[in-house]
Amino acid sequence: MKNFYTAICIFILMQLSASAQNITVTATAGPLLTSSYPTLKAAFDGINNGSHQGIINIRIVNNTAENANCLLDSSGNATSSNYTSILIRPADTATVIKTISMSLTDTTLLTLQGADNLSVDGRPLGLGANIFLTLSNNVNGALSNTVVLKDGASSNQFRFCNITNVANSTLTPVTVRILTGRNSNNIFSRSVISGGYIGLLLNGDDAAPNDNISLLYSQIINQKASAIRLGSGVGNVTLDSNRIFNTIASSTSVFQALFINNINPAATVNFTRNRVFNLNMSASNILQGVVFLPSTASGTLIAKNNSIQLGSTTYPNPSSTIVRAFYFGSNTPATVIAESNTFRIGGTHTTDNGQPTSVCILKSNSSAGSSYTCINNLGINTRTGASNQHVGSFISTPTTGTNTVDYNTYYGGPAQTVAFMSSLYSDLTLYKTDAAPLEQHSSFGLLDFVDDINPDLLTPSSNNTAALLTGTPTTVTTDIYGTIRSLTAPYRGAYEGAPLAPLPVHLVSFVAEIKNNNVGLTWKTHSEINNRGFDIERSVDGSVFNKVAYVTANHSGTITNTYIYTDTDAFTKASSAILFYRLKQLDNNGSFKYSNVEVVNSSKNQLKHISIYPNPVLSTLQVTINSKVTGNASLQIIDASGKTLTSAARSLVAGTNNLLLTETAHLQTGAYFLKITVGEKTTVMRLLKIN
């Protein structure tokens, strides 16, 4: 019997020990430098009471079922917390997803209450692109949120995470909710935000708005009412390169991919390079893409390079009473800039409603203080059914406020293309006459796309002509995929295809590759006109370039030409492990222009365990360096011509260093290089800048 009880005790101790190993914490200061906990809440409690201090690393070893809100307080609070930064990751050896879950009604899973400098990275070792961490609230409760930021929680990041809530909830939980207290400089990136009544909600204080909130390269899926809702306390917000879709049918009266109520008058919401598609609705409802309905004087919404597709072969949404892709309404002043977007509506319709039942671009804001710019957009509406109209554009208030509307292409079926004030038009000449001075370069026409959910135009196509697609040059210099737009004849819409206007030399690509001690250069051109040839130039610092060879042009007209050149023993000749190359294209008339710069690095002393984020960068760039020792890092930004624009120095500590580079905020849109040197080791990384 004694042996039996001994075995039971050992078993219980083993279970408790295993449970205690769910979460491990290491810190650089405090009474406890290392410890293990059964839950994330217990680990947070240890940080809040000051047991762990300084730079703190948390590893998720096993799944946890949280029994209360995991609340992280601000550093220096009344309960003695004192930390510099916190990094949460799955265990370094993780090969399966680790889950932090909650199953309590009306309880938030994770709350950052004034907490700063928390980074949640769902990748073991912070490497790769696979997600190995899930934060999940599994209960259908009105307050069963998954992640909440409040009371000044700032400079936090969630990367490569699954953040989930009850799918298609019948109540009102939110997957990510940002509340009052001026929560600033928070980033959600490369993540999946799924479920909930709303995916991302800003619901703060208009007097102290949340500022510099970013959602980047993420998927927002399966919400009930809105994928993203900016309700109150909205400062500067960046929503870039996200995919929004809803494969679980929503039965709410209205669903929006992005709904904006108010923006702080001094702030801007940037909605750029996002894709909205396959939104699935049920019952009678309103289906909308981007909606801005200010109730108080508001700031600016900038929408560029987005693709919004409502109604597809997969989800035709016949029950939807109204379908709108882009809608600027209300009677309160605000500014809207919509450039180079592709708005498409398809599917079928069964219900009449006494107005155009589907509209790609709708402007009905009636405030005299509003400003509305709509340039280089595609509004293609192929929806059928019902006796009401399906139009590409509807401007009901063309003389109210400041309006700049031109260089757009519209299609609406089956009989009317656009609505203007109280009239419908299928005749372009008559429309231009009545819309003047607006729309004088706009066109009517049905374009051909590769499929019904992507912005890619089918080329070549008899419908996709220069007359329908040629836009006007604007500040939008790349397309939704990052392709450089034509400087003279950019495409309308989010997608930039082949050049619409002839160029003297169109450089398709330029690549430099290491081949033993040689460097192989390959470039392709199209449509060579008046081209004499190319100087090949090399640099060891990215600033001073020297000619190393000349290659004569092929003089082959409009066909594609491929050029190959090998710079033999390049690293030995230049006495450098890092080399920069560019082409100088020479015309017969003596003019010239430079290509982009390519860089190669043959050094075995390249820096390892280094990353930059976000890339493309909008404002501040974070450079993460894992260093074994203390020291200094030299950071240089080099432009596409090889010129060093700025240099900066940062101190390093042993361990993970998150260095913020604010100099990127002032760069123009384009491609750059970031040269990072630590001791004798150097790495050069390509950096893209967007505005």
Side-chain angles (χ1 to χ4, degrees), residues 418-467:
V418 297
F420 188 79
M421 297 184 73
S422 58
S423 300
L424 290 158
Y425 297 83
S426 58
D427 183 280
L428 178 61
T429 301
L430 181 59
Y431 174 61
K432 287 183 176 181
T433 299
D434 290 354
L438 309 178
E439 303 278 39
Q440 296 308 292
H441 300 91
S442 292
S443 302
F444 289 176
L446 178 62
L447 302 174
D448 298 323
F449 293 85
V450 172
D451 55 45
D452 63 357
I453 65 171
N454 290 298
D456 306 52
L457 290 159
L458 183 64
T459 54
S461 166
S462 59
N463 288 333
N464 297 347
T465 63

Side-chain angles (χ1 to χ4, degrees), residues 212-425:
N212 291 331
I213 307 299
S214 298
L215 177 62
L216 313 169
Y217 296 95
S218 296
Q219 296 183 35
I220 306 90
I221 60 175
N222 296 337
Q223 281 74 41
K224 178 76 170 180
S226 301
I228 304 169
R229 183 173 295 182
L230 309 181
S232 57
V234 180
N236 294 296
V237 175
T238 299
L239 307 168
D240 182 74
S241 300
N242 301 293
R243 291 158 59 94
I244 300 172
F245 53 100
N246 205 50
T247 55
I248 296 179
S250 172
S251 59
T252 54
S253 58
V254 181
F255 182 91
Q256 307 104 350
L258 169 63
F259 176 79
I260 304 173
N261 189 189
N262 298 313
I263 304 172
N264 183 272
T268 299
V269 172
N270 283 284
F271 187 73
T272 54
R273 302 193 305 179
N274 300 284
R275 290 182 56 211
V276 178
F277 59 96
N278 279 354
L279 299 183
N280 188 13
M281 305 292 290
S282 63
S284 296
N285 42 48
I286 298 175
L287 175 60
Q288 300 180 131
V290 175
V291 179
F292 186 16
L293 300 177
S295 58
T296 62
S298 288
T300 301
L301 167 63
I302 297 177
K304 297 181 179 181
N305 276 334
N306 300 289
S307 171
I308 298 180
Q309 165 68 48
L310 305 180
S312 64
T313 302
T314 307
Y315 299 109
N317 294 310
S319 300
S320 295
T321 55
I322 293 175
V323 180
R324 297 167 178 150
F326 190 84
Y327 175 27
F328 176 38
S330 188
N331 59 359
T332 305
T335 297
V336 168
I337 300 172
E339 294 182 0
S340 301
N341 301 285
T342 296
F343 302 117
R344 296 170 63 199
I345 296 178
T348 58
H349 213 94
T350 58
T351 304
D352 296 331
N353 59 22
Q355 58 180 306
T357 57
S358 61
V359 183
C360 289
I361 309 171
L362 171 60
K363 189 264 180 176
S364 63
N365 184 281
S366 58
S367 170
S370 283
S371 175
Y372 177 63
T373 300
C374 183
I375 293 176
N376 283 356
N377 299 288
L378 301 180
I380 308 300
N381 191 342
T382 59
R383 195 165 177 83
T384 60
S387 61
N388 296 119
Q389 301 79 25
H390 306 286
V391 297
S393 171
F394 183 8
I395 305 176
S396 65
T397 56
T399 60
T400 304
T402 301
N403 297 277
T404 304
V405 184
D406 207 352
Y407 291 94
N408 303 295
T409 296
Y410 307 115
Y411 177 83
Q416 293 83 22
T417 300
V418 297
F420 188 79
M421 297 184 73
S422 58
S423 300
L424 290 158
Y425 297 83

Side-chain angles (χ1 to χ4, degrees), residues 461-643:
S461 166
S462 59
N463 288 333
N464 297 347
T465 63
L468 295 180
L469 287 174
T470 303
T472 185
T474 67
T475 58
V476 184
T477 57
T478 59
D479 76 350
I480 191 171
Y481 298 117
T483 303
I484 301 296
R485 289 186 180 273
S486 167
L487 297 177
T488 57
Y491 269 48
R492 304 178 189 189
Y495 173 79
E496 184 80 358
L500 292 165
L503 301 173
V505 176
H506 176 61
L507 183 64
V508 178
S509 63
F510 174 46
V511 177
E513 298 177 301
I514 297 176
K515 298 180 179 180
N516 298 321
N517 195 45
N518 306 324
V519 177
L521 304 174
T522 304
W523 64 100
K524 293 183 179 181
T525 66
H526 185 75
S527 183
E528 291 193 19
I529 302 172
N530 194 36
N531 182 27
R532 180 163 63 89
F534 303 88
D535 282 344
I536 298 173
E537 298 185 347
R538 182 179 65 204
S539 172
V540 298
D541 60 4
S543 298
V544 179
F545 282 81
N546 297 304
K547 176 181 174 181
V548 296
Y550 171 75
V551 176
T552 303
N554 286 340
H555 301 293
S556 298
T558 60
I559 69 172
T560 299
N561 295 293
T562 300
Y563 297 86
I564 298 174
Y565 178 81
T566 300
D567 190 9
T568 58
D569 296 324
F571 300 101
T572 301
K573 293 176 182 176
S575 299
S576 176
I578 298 177
L579 297 176
F580 299 81
Y581 287 89
R582 71 184 182 188
L583 300 175
K584 182 178 182 181
Q585 185 267 316
L586 307 168
D587 287 351
N588 287 325
N589 60 11
S591 61
F592 63 89
K593 63 181 179 181
Y594 290 107
S595 71
N596 57 290
V597 173
E598 287 292 300
V599 63
V600 288
N601 189 347
S602 70
S603 174
K604 296 181 180 179
N605 291 322
Q606 293 187 60
L607 289 169
K608 297 181 179 179
H609 305 304
I610 184 169
S611 63
I612 58 176
Y613 178 84
N615 190 15
V617 61
L618 182 67
S619 54
T620 301
L621 181 75
Q622 176 175 290
V623 182
T624 300
I625 300 176
N626 291 324
S627 178
K628 294 182 179 180
V629 297
T630 59
N632 296 298
S634 172
L635 309 172
Q636 292 178 288
I637 297 176
I638 302 169
D639 69 12
S641 69
K643 179 182 178 182

